Amino acid sequence: MAEDYLKKLIKDGIISEDQLEEARDLASSLGVSTEDALVRLGYVSASELTERQASQYGYDFVNLDAMEIPRTVIELVPESVARENVVIPLGLDDETIQVAVSNAMDYEVLDKLRFVLNREIKIAVASKESIQAAINRHYGDSQTESVDSMLAEFTETAIDFTETEGGGGGPQEEDDSAPIVRLVNLIISEAVNMRASDIHIEPFEDRVRVRYRIDGVLVERDSPPKRLLAALVSRMKIMARMDISEKRRPQDGRIKTRAGGKDYDLRVSILPTNHGQAVVLRILDRDNIKVGIRNLGFSEDNYRKFQTLIRRPNGIFLVTGPTGSGKTTTLYSALGEINRPDRKIITAEDPVEYLLPGINQVEVKSDIGLNFARIIRAMLRQAPNVILVGEIRDTETAEMAIQASLTGHLVFSTLHTNDAPSSVTRLIDMGVEPFLVASSVMAIMAQRLVRVVCAKCKAPYSPDASEIQQFGITPEQLETAQMLRGKGCSNCQHTGYRGRQAVFELLIMNSTLREMTFRSEPAQNLRRQARLFGMRTIVEDALDKALVGRTTLLEVSRLDKGGH
C-alpha cells in the first residue's frame, strides 16, 4: 500500500528514484518511516506528503490552522489520548466520531481509538504539526497558561516547605504533586514545546526572570516572585544530582527528563551572582543531530565539495564559528554520513553532548588531567580511521591533531574564529609551525545560523532601494528573486520565523593557498586569493538564501554586522 503511494510520488515528479533510495537508507539507519526520512531530507514537505496521502487513499484532508472545534466535541477524546496518539476530534455524527490523524495507514492507532472511545471512527488527514498545534490550542493546555496559572497558585503557605534549601531531599521535594516540582516540570515542558534551545533563570533584586532562547533569540517569559528562587534552584539541583548546600561555587550537572513524549538531556549550569544563583538549562534534543547533510543548508556546489572532503582518507577538516553556530550538528551529521562498519571513529569531546551509535566517544576530564591532547595520544593507539576533536584550544592539541592527520587519519575539529581564512592564521599564532598547517589542513568551513521564514505566514515582499543598495543586489538578481517574509502567526510565536538553517563559507586548500600559509601571509591575503578560486562568503551564501525566500535581508544584515 505504502509502496504504491511512494511510486506515485516518483511518477508525479515530486521525488526521484535516487532520492527515494537515499530516504530508505536514512529511514533504516534512524529507525523512522520512509515518509519521515523524505521530509527530513527536504525532498517533500510534511503537509504536501499528508495531503497526497489523503487523496491517494480517498480521505479528506483538513487544514486545522484556522479551524475552531466546539468544546463539546473536544471533550469526546481525553487529552492524554489525543496527545499520546497525535489525534484530535473534529465532529460527531450519530455514533460516528470524526478524528484527524497524521497517518491514515496507522491501523494500530485507529484500533486503539475505537477501543478507547467505543465508537465508530471516521478518518480525516492533517499534518502532524498542525494536529499538535490544535491540541495545544483546544485543550487549554497551552503550556504558557499553565505556567502562569501555576505561578498564581503560589501563596506564602504553598512554598513554606521549599524555602529551606537545607532540607532539599525531603519527601515533598520528590513528590510529583508538590507545587515547586510541578512548576519546574511545566517550565521545561513549555520550553520544549516552544522549540527552545536553552532556559535562562536569572535572579534580580526583586524578581526572577525566566527566558527561553528560541531560534537563537532570547524571549522573556514569566517572572516568578523572588521568594521562589531558592526553591527553583534547589529542585533543579536535586534533579541534576548536585550539592544543594553549595551556593558559592559554580556547578555543572545533567538532567534526563521526558517532555512531549520524548526523552531529553538537559545540561545544567549554575552560577552564583550577587542576587542569588543563576541557572541555565541547555536542552539537548537527539533529533537535532539526525539532520541529513542535505538539510544543513548547503548550496549544490558546497554540498558536492563537502561530500568529497568527508570521504578523504586523511587531513584536517576544521569547522569554525562562534558558540551556538551549529558546528556540533554539522560535524555529527558528517560522522553519521561516514559511520560504516568498515570505519573506526573516535571522538574527544568536552562534554559529550549527544550519544552516537557505533562511535567511540571520550569525555574530557580536566580534573584528572584527561585533556584533548592526552586523549588524542591515547586514541591513536586504538587504530581509528576518523578522529573528532571537540575543539582546538591550545598548541599541544593543535600539534597532536596535525600529527594524527599526517599519520593517515581523517581529523575533524572546531575553532572559534569568525571566518575561514583567519583559522589558518589562528593556528600559526597558537605556535604551530606554518609548514605543518600548510601540509595538514585540507579545508576550513565557517558557518553561522540564520532564521528561516515561517512557512505558515510567509508572504512576498519587495525590498526598498536602500536595502538593494546595502546588499548590492543587481537588477538581474532582483528579476529572478522570490523574496518572502513572515507576517507573524501562532505557528512562529508571531516572530515571522520558525527554525534555523546554516550558511557557510567553504575554503578548500590548494597549492597556492598552501604556499601562502607556508609564508605566514595575513588572513586578508588568503581571503582575497580564496575568493579568486571561487569561495563564497557567509554573507553571500545568506543573501542567496534571502533571494529565494528561505530567510530575510534583516537576517543577512545581522551577519554583515558580525552578529549571530
Side-chain angles (χ1 to χ4, degrees):
M1 238 358 201
E3 276 303 308
D4 297 342
Y5 154 57
L6 293 170
K7 281 174 185 166
K8 181 100 169 49
L9 290 176
I10 296 171
K11 191 177 171 188
D12 292 350
I14 304 298
I15 57 170
S16 67
E17 289 272 11
D18 289 348
Q19 288 171 336
L20 179 58
E21 213 44 56
E22 188 184 347
R24 281 183 178 138
D25 289 346
L26 182 66
S28 63
S29 66
L30 297 184
V32 298
S33 68
T34 307
E35 288 90 336
D36 272 354
L38 282 168
V39 172
R40 286 187 189 196
L41 289 166
Y43 295 144
V44 62
S45 72
S47 55
E48 185 182 4
L49 207 55
T50 312
E51 197 167 345
R52 286 183 154 271
Q53 189 191 50
S55 68
Q56 170 83 3
Y57 300 121
Y59 294 113
D60 293 337
F61 177 79
V62 288
N63 182 358
L64 296 173
D65 293 342
M67 188 184 286
E68 280 305 318
I69 304 163
R71 170 61 46 195
T72 49
V73 173
I74 286 293
E75 286 169 356
L76 295 169
V77 176
E79 184 184 348
S80 57
V81 173
R83 286 192 185 279
E84 186 187 339
N85 301 291
V86 196
V87 299
I88 193 163
L90 302 174
L92 182 66
D93 181 16
D94 293 332
E95 282 304 295
T96 303
I97 185 169
Q98 185 181 31
V99 295
V101 298
S102 60
N103 182 4
M105 298 293 100
D106 195 341
Y107 299 117
E108 195 179 320
V109 165
L110 303 181
D111 288 342
K112 193 194 295 184
L113 287 175
R114 284 191 189 94
F115 178 74
V116 170
L117 304 175
N118 197 23
R119 294 175 191 267
E120 257 321 298
I121 303 290
K122 184 184 175 191
I123 298 298
V125 178
S127 71
K128 189 173 183 177
E129 291 76 14
S130 67
I131 294 174
Q132 284 169 334
I135 289 170
N136 287 341
R137 219 166 50 237
H138 287 92
Y139 279 93
D141 193 17
S142 145
Q143 299 289 345
T144 332
E145 293 171 5
S146 299
V147 172
D148 288 342
S149 60
M150 188 74 226
L151 287 171
E153 243 183 68
F154 278 98
T155 59
E156 295 292 340
T157 51
I159 57 154
D160 279 350
F161 69 86
T162 59
E163 288 263 52
T164 54
E165 268 203 51
Q172 297 100 321
E173 289 275 22
E174 290 305 322
D175 179 5
D176 280 352
S177 63
I180 203 71
V181 174
R182 281 164 46 219
L183 177 60
V184 170
N185 290 346
L186 285 170
I187 288 172
I188 293 170
S189 303
E190 177 181 79
V192 165
N193 287 344
M194 292 176 75
R195 301 175 300 105
S197 59
D198 38 51
I199 303 167
H200 296 250
I201 297 166
E202 302 156 311
F204 294 101
E205 196 170 354
D206 55 348
R207 68 185 181 112
V208 177
R209 180 168 70 177
V210 177
R211 296 191 291 175
Y212 304 150
R213 192 182 295 280
I214 302 167
D215 292 336
V217 178
L218 280 167
V219 176
E220 188 160 346
R221 300 302 296 161
D222 314 283
S223 283
K226 183 66 185 284
R227 66 176 191 273
L228 286 185
L229 178 66
L232 279 169
V233 174
S234 274
R235 175 60 194 157
M236 287 171 182
K237 282 184 174 182
I238 286 166
M239 291 171 80
R241 293 180 167 78
M242 291 177 180
D243 178 1
I244 63 168
S245 63
E246 177 55 78
K247 301 177 197 175
R248 298 169 304 164
R249 291 193 182 95
Q251 287 181 270
D252 292 300
R254 263 185 123 100
I255 296 173
K256 282 193 186 300
T257 189
R258 194 167 175 79
K262 279 172 67 179
D263 290 317
Y264 291 89
D265 284 339
L266 307 181
R267 235 173 58 207
V268 188
S269 168
I270 293 183
L271 179 72
T273 71
N274 58 341
H275 289 301
Q277 297 173 87
V279 185
V280 175
L281 305 175
R282 176 90 185 272
I283 300 169
L284 303 174
D285 178 0
R286 286 167 203 162
D287 285 354
N288 286 352
I289 54 150
K290 292 177 181 172
V291 183
I293 286 180
R294 265 282 179 211
N295 274 8
L296 290 172
F298 285 116
S299 63
E300 274 305 315
D301 185 40
N302 279 348
Y303 175 73
R304 282 196 303 274
K305 289 174 180 171
F306 186 77
Q307 285 281 15
T308 307
L309 286 167
I310 63 174
R311 284 169 170 76
R312 293 272 287 272
N314 63 308
I316 290 187
F317 181 43
L318 291 172
V319 180
T320 83
T323 304
S325 58
K327 301 188 296 291
T328 304
T329 303
T330 299
L331 287 174
Y332 277 7
S333 298
L335 291 184
E337 184 87 357
I338 60 175
N339 184 15
R340 297 283 179 271
D342 60 337
R343 283 194 188 95
K344 172 146 183 166
I345 303 174
I346 308 183
T347 74
E349 301 170 67
D350 182 18
V352 171
E353 289 191 7
Y354 301 96
L355 299 175
L356 298 169
I359 291 174
N360 303 274
Q361 292 171 277
V362 184
E363 187 158 317
V364 167
K365 291 189 173 66
S366 307
D367 51 336
I368 58 166
L370 190 63
N371 57 18
F372 279 120
R374 197 165 173 187
I375 293 171
I376 298 168
R377 200 173 287 117
M379 65 167 62
L380 289 177
R381 293 196 285 271
Q382 296 270 316
N385 303 103
V386 181
I387 290 170
L388 182 142
V389 181
E391 189 187 334
I392 291 178
R393 293 177 186 167
D394 52 45
T395 315
E396 192 185 3
T397 306
E399 285 178 343
M400 286 300 305
I402 285 170
Q403 289 305 328
S405 74
L406 294 174
T407 52
H409 302 86
L410 177 60
V411 180
F412 293 112
S413 191
T414 71
L415 265 181
H416 286 291
T417 58
N418 286 327
D419 60 6
S422 57
S423 297
V424 172
T425 50
R426 169 68 60 85
L427 288 172
I428 294 169
D429 290 345
M430 271 184 184
V432 181
E433 292 290 348
F435 75 89
L436 285 175
V437 178
S439 54
S440 62
V441 176
M442 60 174 181
I444 302 162
M445 187 167 77
Q447 71 176 70
R448 298 285 190 288
L449 294 175
V450 290
R451 290 184 291 173
V452 174
V453 175
C454 173
K456 295 280 168 67
C457 63
K458 63 185 178 187
Y461 89 104
S462 301
D464 56 39
S466 63
E467 287 179 310
I468 292 169
Q469 188 180 350
Q470 181 188 347
F471 296 105
I473 301 170
T474 63
E476 293 78 31
Q477 285 176 314
L478 264 182
E479 218 170 279
T480 55
Q482 292 179 309
M483 301 182 93
L484 303 169
R485 67 177 164 203
K487 294 174 179 173
C489 64
S490 58
N491 183 52
C492 58
Q493 273 100 42
H494 301 280
T495 60
Y497 300 97
R498 185 178 167 99
R500 288 188 293 173
Q501 202 170 54
V503 287
F504 302 99
E505 176 175 289
L506 183 57
L507 182 153
I508 296 177
M509 297 293 274
N510 57 27
S511 52
T512 309
L513 291 169
R514 288 185 201 285
E515 185 63 37
M516 292 172 76
T517 303
F518 184 68
R519 293 196 302 266
S520 301
E521 293 206 19
Q524 59 265 34
N525 293 8
L526 288 167
R527 167 172 282 274
R528 203 175 306 116
Q529 193 62 45
R531 295 290 303 279
L532 291 173
F533 285 118
M535 180 186 85
R536 293 186 65 72
T537 67
I538 284 175
V539 174
E540 286 170 339
D541 193 27
L543 185 59
D544 288 347
K545 288 183 171 63
L547 292 172
V548 295
R550 287 294 292 156
T551 188
T552 64
L553 291 176
L554 179 65
E555 286 291 287
V556 181
S557 70
R558 290 173 65 180
L559 292 178
D560 222 358
K561 293 168 188 159
H564 250 314

